[in-house]
Amino acid sequence: MKTNLLHFLALICFCGCQASSSRAPYLNVIAHLDKVKCIGLQENIKTVGKVLHARLTDSLSFYILDSQGGRIILYDTSGAQRKVISRYGDGPSELKDVLSLALHGEKIFIPEYYRGIKVFTAEGTASKHILIQDKNFVLVSGDIEAVGDNILFLTCVWDGKVKDSKLAAVFIDTAGDVKEKVVGYPREYSQFLLTGRKCGAIRGDCTFAVCFAQSPALIIGSLKEKNQKLIDCVDRQKLYISPKRRADSGGNEQEMWKLLKEEWLNYRIVFLNDTLIARARCRETDESIRLKSLVLRQNSLDIFTLTGHFLGEVQLPGRLHDACQDLLFIEESDAPENRQFGFYKITFQLQLANAQ
């Protein structure tokens, strides 16, 4: 059953009022991906290491964060390289142990593991080094988002002084002062924790979302309204923590790591529009392990309402990096001789739950 956008949004809003289940009981959402454009990187592609994160600009050119080379590289929509910023190292204009990438206006923000946040101009000049003033907080695996000119949203943060810290994210200003904390962790999460990575996204009205690498749970809240809610989504926990791990949580570590081909990891969360959130997850395959490839993992996208109701999922043709409304930016190949990205338009079809 096809439906227009207004009808779709009205139904989704109605789903948000149904609090008794994590899935709307009367409809299914089927997502479709249509490829709009393929972009092959054209210059010096063999010198590009692992693309940790790629971000779209307003003009749909894109920056990639080369984690191995310590570089930020700007490409246009044809795949031509336009600018290279920084290099690997410890200097003021160099990058090392990078975690994520955020853009706002003419500024580029890069957090470094256990260090600080380096700020570059679009011209490539290192303009600032932000240190979190609360010395208890350290930068670890996770994301960064820029909120206006002076506020940053960090999931790449950990409270190193508090045992069993429940810190999920913080808002800081560009002086490094902590303004707000997002606190909350899924039940049983730390018991099975393999990676502490958390992913975050925030949109223009300061609505934010946080997800956790090995949990179906979401935190959704608003900086303006000073609220947040943890949605457990426990009915999807088996995707992330297999029955074998749950039955033998203290078992052989090597055997437990083999479960990575069964268990999913969340690695990206984005807002698709005013009503929907999408969370990307992946799991290892024999080929991805052999070639040490992120792209060759099995990738999937889960769709949620802003109230955390799961609506449906769609398989991804590669690794999701960013989204601009209903346009997804996906890395399709990370082979050294064939670095390729694609733009995909996501559309939706609604079906009644009892439809054949």
Side-chain angles (χ1 to χ4, degrees), residues 64-75:
I64 66 170
L65 181 58
D66 177 1
S67 59
Q68 294 166 313
R71 299 180 301 166
I72 311 160
I73 308 173
L74 175 64
Y75 290 89

Side-chain angles (χ1 to χ4, degrees), residues 1-5 7-9 11-12 15 23-24 26-34 272-273 276 303 311-314 345-353 355-356:
M1 179 183 71
K2 295 283 187 180
T3 184
N4 62 38
L5 182 59
H7 187 198
F8 174 69
L9 293 178
L11 285 172
I12 296 303
C15 293
R23 178 187 284 273
Y26 62 95
L27 60 82
N28 295 319
V29 173
I30 301 175
H32 301 273
L33 294 181
D34 297 305
L272 293 179
N273 52 38
L276 298 180
I303 312 298
L311 296 174
E313 61 187 83
V314 63
K345 184 177 179 62
I346 185 167
T347 56
F348 301 96
Q349 179 180 345
L350 299 185
Q351 289 185 334
L352 294 178
Q356 299 297 318

Side-chain angles (χ1 to χ4, degrees), residues 182-238:
V182 179
V183 179
Y185 253 56
R187 290 175 290 181
E188 299 185 340
Y189 183 59
S190 59
Q191 180 183 354
F192 300 97
L193 185 66
L194 291 180
T195 171
R197 178 176 173 82
K198 297 156 291 181
C199 307
I202 192 164
R203 64 185 194 185
D205 66 354
C206 292
T207 300
F208 63 83
V210 177
C211 69
F212 305 83
Q214 284 180 272
S215 172
L218 293 166
I219 295 177
I220 301 173
S222 170
L223 176 62
K224 287 183 178 179
E225 298 179 10
K226 308 291 185 184
N227 62 39
Q228 60 186 60
K229 181 181 179 182
L230 176 67
I231 300 105
D232 284 318
C233 303
V234 293
D235 57 329
R236 296 180 63 77
Q237 183 63 266
K238 62 184 179 181

Side-chain angles (χ1 to χ4, degrees), residues 6 44 47 58 96 105 144 201 293 313 351:
L6 290 177
N44 303 318
T47 68
D58 292 340
K96 184 178 181 180
I144 182 172
S293 168
E313 61 187 83
Q351 289 185 334

Side-chain angles (χ1 to χ4, degrees), residues 57 61-64 72-76 80-85 122:
T57 68
S61 58
F62 57 96
Y63 288 92
I64 66 170
I72 311 160
I73 308 173
L74 175 64
Y75 290 89
D76 65 20
Q81 188 180 109
R82 294 304 183 194
K83 190 180 296 292
V84 178
I85 299 172

Side-chain angles (χ1 to χ4, degrees), residues 13-59:
C13 290
F14 182 75
C15 293
C17 298
Q18 312 301 308
S20 60
S21 170
S22 63
R23 178 187 284 273
Y26 62 95
L27 60 82
N28 295 319
V29 173
I30 301 175
H32 301 273
L33 294 181
D34 297 305
K35 192 169 185 177
V36 176
K37 185 179 180 66
C38 178
I39 301 173
L41 304 190
Q42 298 177 14
E43 301 171 38
N44 303 318
I45 59 174
K46 290 187 177 182
T47 68
V48 177
K50 183 180 292 185
V51 180
L52 184 63
H53 204 170
R55 288 281 199 176
L56 296 171
T57 68
D58 292 340
S59 64

Side-chain angles (χ1 to χ4, degrees), residues 43-258:
E43 301 171 38
N44 303 318
I45 59 174
K46 290 187 177 182
T47 68
V48 177
K50 183 180 292 185
V51 180
L52 184 63
H53 204 170
R55 288 281 199 176
L56 296 171
T57 68
D58 292 340
S59 64
L60 299 185
S61 58
F62 57 96
Y63 288 92
I64 66 170
L65 181 58
D66 177 1
S67 59
Q68 294 166 313
R71 299 180 301 166
I72 311 160
I73 308 173
L74 175 64
Y75 290 89
D76 65 20
T77 54
S78 72
Q81 188 180 109
R82 294 304 183 194
K83 190 180 296 292
V84 178
I85 299 172
S86 77
R87 60 185 179 183
Y88 188 85
D90 292 309
S93 298
E94 298 173 332
L95 293 170
K96 184 178 181 180
D97 300 327
V98 293
L99 300 172
S100 187
L101 165 70
L103 306 175
H104 182 74
E106 295 296 309
K107 296 178 181 177
I108 305 167
F109 300 87
I110 309 289
E112 295 178 299
Y113 185 70
Y114 266 74
R115 296 167 181 255
I117 301 165
K118 288 183 177 175
V119 185
F120 293 83
T121 68
E123 295 302 315
T125 303
S127 63
K128 194 178 183 68
H129 190 202
I130 302 170
L131 297 175
I132 300 180
Q133 296 305 303
D134 188 328
K135 302 304 181 184
N136 292 343
F137 293 161
V138 294
L139 294 177
V140 293
S141 180
D143 288 338
I144 182 172
E145 296 277 349
V147 188
D149 291 327
N150 299 309
I151 298 292
L152 300 174
F153 177 52
L154 307 176
T155 59
C156 58
V157 67
W158 191 257
D159 190 339
K161 298 296 183 181
V162 177
K163 185 179 180 180
D164 298 326
S165 170
K166 303 299 182 183
L167 184 71
V170 297
F171 290 89
I172 68 170
D173 62 20
T174 50
D177 293 318
V178 176
K179 296 301 182 182
E180 296 288 343
K181 299 177 184 179
V182 179
V183 179
Y185 253 56
R187 290 175 290 181
E188 299 185 340
Y189 183 59
S190 59
Q191 180 183 354
F192 300 97
L193 185 66
L194 291 180
T195 171
R197 178 176 173 82
K198 297 156 291 181
C199 307
I202 192 164
R203 64 185 194 185
D205 66 354
C206 292
T207 300
F208 63 83
V210 177
C211 69
F212 305 83
Q214 284 180 272
S215 172
L218 293 166
I219 295 177
I220 301 173
S222 170
L223 176 62
K224 287 183 178 179
E225 298 179 10
K226 308 291 185 184
N227 62 39
Q228 60 186 60
K229 181 181 179 182
L230 176 67
I231 300 105
D232 284 318
C233 303
V234 293
D235 57 329
R236 296 180 63 77
Q237 183 63 266
K238 62 184 179 181
L239 291 172
Y240 300 89
I241 300 175
S242 69
K244 183 176 181 180
R245 187 184 299 280
R246 189 173 291 278
D248 190 20
S249 60
N252 180 277
E253 183 177 353
Q254 187 174 7
E255 289 298 315
M256 291 296 103
W257 278 99
K258 290 180 181 179

